[in-house]
């Protein structure tokens, strides 16, 4: 028997809750983001400066340098005019995407032949050298090396280009941790206890009155795969199917990205229902920019949600 809906069947309340959810996210962002960007910027400036020094102030952009320092590639992509995305660099250099993606993580491919690696790195260096932003690095047009002031200024400019890409994942991770802590505190007040549940054990073996975070749940009949679930709660009063409640914590700082990601949840609930039956309870815990289009799509897929600013609605899940 499926549980009654909390918010998915109340579109007349969506507009009010969307506005409150946006306000909730913005209050957190304004309090958290400035310090995060500031600390990230300081670390990134130093990282960029080290990358510039490792390439002899960008005058030694060659295969030998990249072999020793593959992790400087993300910085070097931001040293060009215009800055280059990974796919754009791969296309312009006609290079191996696997190689570029490995270098983005500070590594080189293990199985690539030395001669092929040399050729690929040379092509990448050729593109980067040709597109270097000489307004930022004026010393490239003369024989003298940069002054300390010029190097500092250039490092700051490149760091600013990198900062959004570096800081946004930090912000997303911090927001997720905050949401999980909020749910954990709420469950603790209800008398639940946090307890590890092995992903090797059936979901139905989870102890009553317990919860856990980041549990890999096995789905599929013939080909089993694990899908991560942010919060798994086993009510004190077990349901007939003994299945726990599954919650996905989600936050968003703009309306665009939520619409791009909404199919992920639809796929997840289909996999869960195909494995555990239509009665499985999978809900979203939302904070931020989730508009009517997103909510309508999720409701049509049979997915319900609880707003972070209305966390007390969690009790309606049978807690």
């Amino acid at each position: 028997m499926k549980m009654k809906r909390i918010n998915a069947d109340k579109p007349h309340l969506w507009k009010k809750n969307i506005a409150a959810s946006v306000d909730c996210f913005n209050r957190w962002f304004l309090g958290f983001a400035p310090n995060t960007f500031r600390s990230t910027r300081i670390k990134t400036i130093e990282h960029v400066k080290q990358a510039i020094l490792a390439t002899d102030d960008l005058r030694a952009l060659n295969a030998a340098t990249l072999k020793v320092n593959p992790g400087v590639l993300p910085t070097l992509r931001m040293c060009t005019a215009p800055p280059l995305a990974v796919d754009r660099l791969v296309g312009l250099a006609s290079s191996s995407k696997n190689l570029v993606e490995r270098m983005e993580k500070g590594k080189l491919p293990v199985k690539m032949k030395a001669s092929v690696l040399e050729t690929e790195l040379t092509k990448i260096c050729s593109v980067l050298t040709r597109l270097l932003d000489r307004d930022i690095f004026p010393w490239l047009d003369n024989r003298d090396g940069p002054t300390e002031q010029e190097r500092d200024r250039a490092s700051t400019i490149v760091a600013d280009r990198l900062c959004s890409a570096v800081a946004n994942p930090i912000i997303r991770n911090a927001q997720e941790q905050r949401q999980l802590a909020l749910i954990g505190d709420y469950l603790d007040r209800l008398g639940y206890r946090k307890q590890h549940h092995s992903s090797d054990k059936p979901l139905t073996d989870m102890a009553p009155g317990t919860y856990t975070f980041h549990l890999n749940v096995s789905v599929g009949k013939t080909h089993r795969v694990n899908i991560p679930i942010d919060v798994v709660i086993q009510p004190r009063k077990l349901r007939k199917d003994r299945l726990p409640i599954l919650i996905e914590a989600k936050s968003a700082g703009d309306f665009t990205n939520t619409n791009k990601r909404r199919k992920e949840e639809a796929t997840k609930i289909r996999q869960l229902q195909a494995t555990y039956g239509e009665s499985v309870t999978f809900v979203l815990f939302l904070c931020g920019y989730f508009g009517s289009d997103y909510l309508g799509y999720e409701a049509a897929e049979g997915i319900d949600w609880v707003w972070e600013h209305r966390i007390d609605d969690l009790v309606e899940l049978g807690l």
Side-chain angles (χ1 to χ4, degrees), residues 28-47:
W28 173 83
F29 185 89
L30 291 171
F32 176 84
N35 288 335
T36 301
F37 275 94
R38 194 175 299 115
S39 62
T40 301
R41 187 172 183 265
I42 292 171
K43 294 176 184 176
T44 306
I45 289 172
E46 186 56 35
H47 178 78

Side-chain angles (χ1 to χ4, degrees), residues 33-300:
N35 288 335
T36 301
F37 275 94
R38 194 175 299 115
S39 62
T40 301
R41 187 172 183 265
I42 292 171
K43 294 176 184 176
T44 306
I45 289 172
E46 186 56 35
H47 178 78
V48 171
K49 189 181 294 185
Q50 293 304 314
I52 290 175
L53 289 171
T55 57
D56 189 23
D57 294 309
L58 300 176
R59 293 175 298 189
L61 272 184
N62 51 51
T65 300
L66 292 190
K67 284 178 187 176
V68 179
N69 304 284
V72 303
L73 185 59
T75 296
L76 295 178
R77 289 191 295 101
M78 296 298 107
C79 291
T80 60
L84 297 175
V86 168
D87 288 341
R88 181 62 56 83
L89 175 59
V90 170
L92 290 173
S94 298
S95 60
S96 161
K97 186 171 184 178
N98 177 58
L99 169 61
V100 173
E101 289 179 342
R102 292 277 295 179
M103 293 176 70
E104 289 286 310
K105 298 176 182 178
K107 302 175 182 178
L108 292 173
V110 178
K111 298 181 180 180
M112 185 173 284
K113 292 182 179 179
S115 58
V116 175
L117 178 62
E118 181 79 17
T119 300
E120 293 289 307
L121 292 177
T122 298
K123 290 192 295 183
I124 290 171
C125 289
S126 176
V127 170
L128 292 172
T129 300
R130 182 176 178 180
L131 295 178
L132 282 175
D133 192 338
R134 293 175 182 269
D135 290 333
I136 300 176
F137 313 109
W139 64 84
L140 294 175
D141 290 326
N142 58 56
R143 294 183 179 181
D144 300 324
T147 64
E148 195 63 33
Q149 183 180 22
E150 286 177 326
R151 188 184 289 119
D152 287 344
R153 184 185 301 118
S155 298
T156 300
I157 294 170
V158 174
D160 284 340
R161 293 178 174 182
L162 279 166
C163 262
S164 291
V166 174
N168 285 341
I170 295 174
I171 290 174
R172 283 197 300 271
N173 181 65
Q175 173 71 330
E176 178 187 304
Q177 294 305 314
R178 188 191 65 80
Q179 285 188 295
L180 296 186
L182 195 66
I183 294 173
D185 290 344
Y186 181 80
L187 293 172
D188 291 343
R189 290 196 300 273
L190 291 181
Y192 283 75
R193 69 184 188 280
K194 186 179 180 183
Q195 180 175 301
H196 173 72
H197 182 76
S198 174
S199 57
D200 295 331
K201 295 181 179 179
L203 278 177
T204 50
D205 285 357
M206 193 169 177
T210 65
Y211 68 93
T212 190
F213 295 147
H214 297 307
L215 180 67
N216 284 326
V217 174
S218 179
V219 296
K221 295 292 186 181
T222 53
H223 179 63
R224 305 289 284 187
V225 295
N226 288 329
I227 59 174
I229 302 294
D230 292 331
V231 187
V232 181
I233 311 167
Q234 185 64 283
R236 284 191 291 257
K237 183 180 179 181
L238 293 174
R239 297 174 14 156
K240 288 184 179 180
D241 56 15
R242 297 184 65 90
L243 286 174
I245 295 160
L246 312 178
I247 298 177
E248 186 92 348
K250 300 190 75 66
S251 65
D254 63 78
F255 288 117
T256 304
N257 285 330
T258 55
N259 287 332
K260 289 180 180 177
R261 288 156 36 196
R262 63 190 182 183
K263 291 184 179 180
E264 298 171 9
E265 293 89 40
T267 299
K268 191 167 285 191
I269 194 170
R270 290 192 199 108
Q271 291 174 316
L272 289 167
Q273 289 176 339
T275 305
Y276 299 101
E278 293 291 323
S279 65
V280 67
T281 300
F282 174 74
V283 299
L284 308 175
F285 186 68
L286 303 181
C287 175
Y289 290 66
F290 295 93
S292 295
D293 288 347
Y294 173 89
L295 300 177
Y297 181 93
E298 300 293 17

